[in-house]
Each structure stands twice: as C-alpha cells, then as structure tokens.
Amino acid sequence: MSNFLFTSESVTEGHPDKLCDQISDAILDAILKKDQNAHVACEVTATTGLIHVMGEINTNCYVDIDKITRYVVNSVGYNNPECGFNGNTCAVISSINSQSPDISRGVNSSYEFRDGDSDVMNRVGAGDQGIMFGYACDETPELMPLPISLANKLAKRLAEVRKNGTLPYLRPDGKTQVTVEYEDDKPVRLDTILISTQHCENVTLDKIRADLIDNVIEATVPLEMIDENTRILVNPTGRFVIGGPVADTGLTGRKIIVDTYGGYSRHGGGAFSGKDPTKVDRSAAYAARYVAKNIVAAGLAKKCEIQLSYAIGVAKPVSIMVDTFGTGTVSDEALVSAVTKVFDLRPASIIERLHLVLPIYRKLAAYGHMGREDLRVAWEKTDKTEELLRAVGK
C-alpha cells in the first residue's frame, strides 16, 4: 500500500512488563560487571506485593538479587505506598538454577570448533536456534520507523516530567500510541496521539489533558505534522489511579514489539531482556539492526529488513535474507553477498564487535533497544557504509 495509516505503541519504565525487563537486565548487568563469561537467562514476574526472579545462571560470581530488584523498583518510582507498589516492602523470591550442561556444551564449543575449525571466532556456538530480524528506513534521523520513534519518545518524556517534578501528580505506569498517515509510503501527518498515564487520586482529567499536551506532546512530536484533524486522546477511560503490578501482572519479555520496530518490521521468535549475548535472540537481533542500518545509511536502500537464522551450538548463521522492498539501488541478492563479505555474524564476532559483554542492558530495557543513539550503542553506528559500497561495486 502507498497510502495508509500505521500505529505503534510504547510504554513507560513503570509499566509492569517493562519493570520486569529492567530487573532482568539489571541482574544481567551486575553479573557481567564481575564475570563476562557468565551464561544468564533471567526471568521476572511481578504482581501485588510480590516479585519472583527465576532463571538459569552459570557464573563464578555472586550478586545480591534481592538488593538489585528493590533498587530497580524504587528507582522507577514505586517507592511509596501511594503508588500501590513499593520496592521497600514487597516480597522478593528467587528461584535460580544452572544452565543445562547439554546447552552449555554447544555454546562453549561450537559445532565447527569441535569439527576441527580452530578459528577463535568459531569457539562460541549460538545459544539456541531461532530467527532474528533487523530493520532500518529513512523516515527519521536515527533510521527508524516514525510511529515507534515517536511512541518511544513520548513515553520517555512522560517519565521525565514525572521524575523532574514538572507534573508531580503522575505515577510510574503509562502507555503511548501514535498513528501516522502515509502517502506514497512517506509519513505526512499524525492522525492520532494517545497517552494513558497513571496519576494520583485528586487530579482532574482536564488538568491531565492540558498538562500532557503542553509538557509532553508539544515538547516531543513534530508540530508541523499535527493538523486540525489530528485526534489527541488522553486517559480515554477517564481515570487511571490504580496501575503498575497491582493492576496488571508484569512479565519479562512481553513487550518485544516495543523493544524493536513497533510492528513496522517483522520480529523474531525471542525476547531480549535477561539474556546474556551468547543468546542470539538478543545479540543477532542487534547485529541484524546494525547491518540494516548501514545498508540504508550507505544509500543502498530506503528501507531494509534483514533476517538471520541460527542452529543451536553452530557458530555460522544458517541463512541470511535481505529485503529492500523494491527500494534498493542494487539487487537484494547482491546485498546478501555484500553482507556476507562485510559482516561476521558468528556469535563470538558479534559479541566482540558490538561490545556486548559490557553492562549496558538495564538502560536498554525501556524505550526501545533499536534507534538508541542516545545510549551510543555499537549497533547504531554507521561505520560499515564504505565497505558495503565497495562490496557492491559502487
């Protein structure tokens, strides 16, 4: 379609699912600070008065899971009874086991390495089978789809005005949604902007609406894309006092579309948070974004989707797919060939190239893992454009 509406949503760091993502990744960060070779798969669920941390972790270090969990909950803003959930008084249960030795065998010594290929980059096998997607397009400076870019920025701004005291009646839980109108595949106007935010008991809906339009929406979105027909919806139920884990049980990995491209591109089979980078669900998704972004930044396509697939315990990808949706300046087949020449997509190489053993993950666990130029993550760099151009003969 050339003319259409497309909608993406985001949530604040106080949304119960995002709270769980942040706890999972804060535990991962704490472990990586002490043991960069740790294997971590950490899941969290949160409900009224209770947080349960679960998973499989192999490490030679100790971290205080209870202390980390409470720190995250409090820093998000659930630090007093008025919010309905309190990191100082909630129960924290931990159920941690070791990773299966059958999985560890394939991760620590890949199929290729065991078969006699002594290349050091072949040592690490993929932590699981799976498919991962990466995407980039020229709709925003960070080469992300506009709907998810704006939804994430609105959610982040909503948290900022709560934390800095501009709107002290706000509470941590919140959601945003942006509908963009496209003509000839280009974003031309904002059709609908939706914000639902938790708030204290004694504030009126009229005040919330006026304050959010002034301090969040107009401070965030491109005003030239708003017209007289743009709908702005603020707390359409009329009331949002009870929120967070009290209102809705949270779970790690349940906001995967928020984490990536807002549904504008396909998503692989796995979530990111709580997983160390040997899990290709995470590391290869970052690598796929890195590849797609460099293709678009090089001017080889206006939009580009990459699919990678892996087999558990095998270092090299099983398949690589490039789709430029007819916008490429060379064939998609030529781009696949260029990608295989320019990018080493084995897990060990991805981990090294993108600095994935660093404790960077808690900051990524809210407001998206892709397009995060504000965090200076390596997969947002466009440092492979010249190599790609040479590889396709340009």
Side-chain angles (χ1 to χ4, degrees):
M1 295 185 297
S2 59
N3 299 331
F4 57 92
L5 299 175
F6 194 89
T7 303
S8 293
E9 71 155 348
S10 185
V11 297
T12 65
E13 62 205 62
H15 185 280
D17 294 330
K18 273 288 151 220
L19 178 67
C20 292
D21 286 345
Q22 290 170 90
I23 295 169
S24 292
D25 276 335
I27 292 168
L28 172 62
D29 282 348
I31 293 172
L32 290 177
K33 286 179 183 179
K34 298 180 177 181
D35 179 9
Q36 294 186 344
N37 295 314
H39 291 167
V40 180
C42 181
E43 311 282 346
V44 175
T45 186
T47 189
T48 305
L50 174 66
I51 294 175
H52 191 176
V53 181
M54 302 158 281
E56 295 77 45
I57 298 176
N58 282 2
T59 182
N60 59 19
C61 72
Y62 168 78
V63 299
D64 190 332
I65 289 176
D66 183 280
K67 183 177 180 180
I68 294 166
T69 298
R70 295 184 189 281
Y71 171 78
V72 172
V73 175
N74 285 327
S75 66
V76 165
Y78 292 114
N79 54 7
N80 66 75
E82 292 181 4
C83 295
F85 194 84
N86 190 342
N88 298 305
T89 58
C90 68
V92 177
I93 300 173
S94 177
S95 304
I96 300 297
N97 299 304
S98 297
Q99 185 183 58
S100 162
D102 295 336
I103 296 175
S104 296
R105 178 174 181 267
V107 174
N108 295 329
S109 181
S110 73
Y111 174 85
E112 293 94 331
F113 199 80
R114 296 194 308 273
D115 200 39
D117 190 334
S118 59
D119 184 340
V120 66
M121 290 302 171
N122 277 332
R123 180 178 290 276
V124 177
D128 200 352
Q129 71 174 50
I131 57 172
M132 300 85 211
F133 286 93
Y135 183 81
C137 63
D138 62 0
E139 293 179 13
T140 63
E142 68 272 24
L143 304 184
M144 286 285 287
L146 184 62
I148 187 61
S149 177
L150 292 180
N152 278 329
K153 288 174 182 176
L154 285 168
K156 188 175 183 182
R157 177 64 180 169
L158 188 59
E160 286 174 357
V161 297
R162 170 179 61 85
K163 288 185 167 184
N164 66 22
T166 301
L167 303 179
Y169 57 80
L170 296 181
R171 295 293 180 258
D173 198 357
K175 303 180 79 171
T176 63
Q177 189 168 284
V178 177
T179 301
V180 176
E181 182 176 342
Y182 286 76
E183 292 182 1
D184 297 324
D185 285 330
K186 296 180 180 178
V188 295
R189 62 179 292 273
L190 300 181
D191 182 80
T192 306
I193 300 170
L194 167 62
I195 299 179
S196 295
T197 181
Q198 186 186 11
H199 57 85
C200 72
E201 179 80 34
N202 57 3
V203 63
T204 67
L205 179 59
D206 287 342
K207 179 170 178 56
I208 296 171
R209 177 181 169 83
D211 283 350
L212 292 194
I213 290 174
D214 184 36
N215 293 283
V216 178
I217 295 173
E218 292 185 354
T220 304
V221 307
L223 298 182
E224 67 275 11
M225 296 189 75
I226 295 178
D227 60 26
E228 67 276 6
N229 294 317
T230 300
R231 291 188 300 168
I232 296 178
L233 302 173
V234 174
N235 283 16
T237 65
R239 179 180 171 89
F240 189 178
V241 174
I242 301 171
V246 175
D248 184 14
T249 298
L251 182 66
T252 297
R254 203 157 55 182
K255 283 289 178 283
I256 57 177
I257 301 303
V258 173
D259 289 340
T260 54
Y261 309 101
Y264 204 89
S265 169
R266 286 172 284 194
H267 193 288
F272 301 155
S273 289
K275 297 178 180 178
D276 76 83
T278 66
K279 278 74 170 174
V280 284
D281 283 342
R282 170 168 238 159
S283 54
Y286 295 160
R289 163 65 178 171
Y290 183 44
V291 174
K293 186 172 184 179
N294 274 270
I295 288 173
V296 174
L300 293 170
K302 291 183 175 295
K303 58 178 71 175
C304 179
E305 184 179 77
I306 308 292
Q307 187 203 52
L308 305 176
S309 69
Y310 290 83
I312 188 169
V314 179
K316 293 180 180 179
V318 173
S319 67
I320 302 172
M321 181 276 291
V322 175
D323 187 353
T324 58
F325 308 95
T327 70
T329 61
V330 299
S331 70
D332 291 346
E333 291 80 7
L335 286 172
V336 171
S337 178
V339 167
T340 59
K341 294 175 184 176
V342 174
F343 296 92
D344 187 344
L345 296 170
R346 294 172 292 180
S349 180
I350 293 171
I351 291 167
E352 180 181 274
R353 179 74 188 182
L354 301 184
H355 313 301
L356 297 183
V357 294
L358 298 178
I360 58 175
Y361 296 107
R362 194 259 164 114
K363 291 181 179 180
L364 288 162
Y367 314 118
H369 294 244
M370 311 304 176
R372 297 301 301 274
E373 293 182 347
D374 59 316
L375 297 180
R376 303 178 67 85
V377 290
W379 55 92
E380 292 299 321
K381 292 181 178 180
T382 54
D383 54 357
K384 292 291 188 179
T385 56
E386 294 299 323
E387 290 181 62
L388 280 169
L389 290 168
R390 287 194 297 270
V392 299
K394 287 185 175 285

